[in-house]
Amino acid sequence: PSFEVISELFGKATGCSKGRGGSMHLFSKEHHLLGGYAFIGEGIPVALGAAFSSKYKKEVTGDKNSNAVTAAFFGDGTCNNGQFYECLNMAQLWKLPILFVVENNKWAIGMAHDRATSNPEIWRKASAFGMHGEEVDGMDVLAVRGAAERAIERARSGEGPTLLECLTYRFRGHSLADPDELRSEKEKDFWSKRDPIKKLSNQLIDSKYATEEELKTIEKKIDSEISKAVKNALSAPEPPSDELTRYI
C-alpha cells in the first residue's frame, strides 16, 4: 500500500486497541487490508507472507515498481506468542519490508503487561534478531507518523523490518464481556487526559491548519455516517439461507 494508506492505518490504530472481536473478519482488497483473526498472533504470519510477496516481485520477477510495505498490528499480549518470534526471525533473515507494530496498551484483557512478560520493553526484543526497534508515544499521532515514515523508508531501501512499540491505552473494557474492574481509576484518569484525538485537534488549531468550527463540522459528518451505517444494519433484512454457503 501507499504511504498514505499506511499513515491512515497508523492514525486509526493510535490510541485504541483492536480486540479479538472488534476488528475480526474485516477484509478489503481495495484498501490492502488483509483481515482480522480470531486468535492473537495469527495475522503476523499472513503479514509476513505479504511482505515476502513484495520482495519476491521486485527481486525475482523483476517488477521494479514493487515497493509495498506491510504493517502488522497487534497488542502487547501477542508478544508472548510463538508466531511473534518466529516471524521476527524470518523477517530479519530475509530483510523483508514489514513493520511489526505493537499497540502496547498495558493490558491483555485483564492481564497486566508487566505481570505477563519478563522484559516489558517490547521494542528491545528486536535486538535479539539484529532488527531495528523503536519505542514511540502511541498517544501522539504525529509522533507515530514520524516513526512510520522512518520505518517505511528503511524497509524500501532494503534495510529490512522494524519493530515499533506504540505506548497507548484503551479507555474502556476489552469488549462487552469485560467489566473493566481490574484497572485502577487513577490509571484510567491519567491516560484519558492524553486522548490522541483531542491532542491532534489542538495541534491543528494551534498551527492554523484548521479551525475549531471546521473540526466540529468533520465530527458531525462522521457521526452522521456512523448513525446511517448502524440504521442500515439494523433495518436490513435477514439474508436468505442460500447465502450460507456462498464463497465456500
Side-chain angles (χ1 to χ4, degrees), residues 45-177:
V46 176
L48 195 79
F52 176 79
S53 70
S54 301
K55 187 178 180 71
Y56 187 89
K57 288 177 182 178
K58 187 173 184 178
E59 298 184 358
V60 179
T61 68
D63 183 0
K64 301 302 181 183
N65 294 321
S66 179
N67 66 347
V69 177
T70 302
F73 295 94
F74 46 94
D76 47 282
T78 301
C79 298
N80 295 322
N81 285 15
Q83 301 102 312
F84 172 64
Y85 297 99
E86 292 172 11
C87 291
L88 287 184
N89 177 66
M90 189 174 292
Q92 180 63 17
L93 178 66
W94 291 343
K95 294 290 189 293
L96 298 182
I98 184 171
L99 278 62
F100 298 100
V101 187
V102 185
E103 297 171 307
N104 184 358
N105 63 21
K106 317 297 181 186
W107 290 83
I109 308 182
M111 173 57 71
H113 175 59
D114 291 350
R115 293 182 58 201
T117 184
S118 57
N119 185 354
E121 293 185 285
I122 299 171
W123 69 276
R124 295 187 182 277
K125 298 180 181 182
S127 63
F129 302 93
M131 183 187 301
H132 180 80
E134 186 173 342
E135 181 185 88
V136 64
D137 182 0
M139 307 296 275
D140 187 331
V141 173
L142 298 181
V144 175
R145 179 185 174 90
E149 288 178 324
R150 294 189 292 275
I152 291 170
E153 182 179 357
R154 191 178 299 113
R156 286 185 171 150
S157 64
E159 296 181 38
T162 296
L163 176 61
L164 190 62
E165 181 180 6
C166 300
L167 301 179
T168 183
Y169 202 71
R170 55 175 163 82
F171 297 152
R172 300 182 182 180
H174 170 80
S175 67
L176 291 175

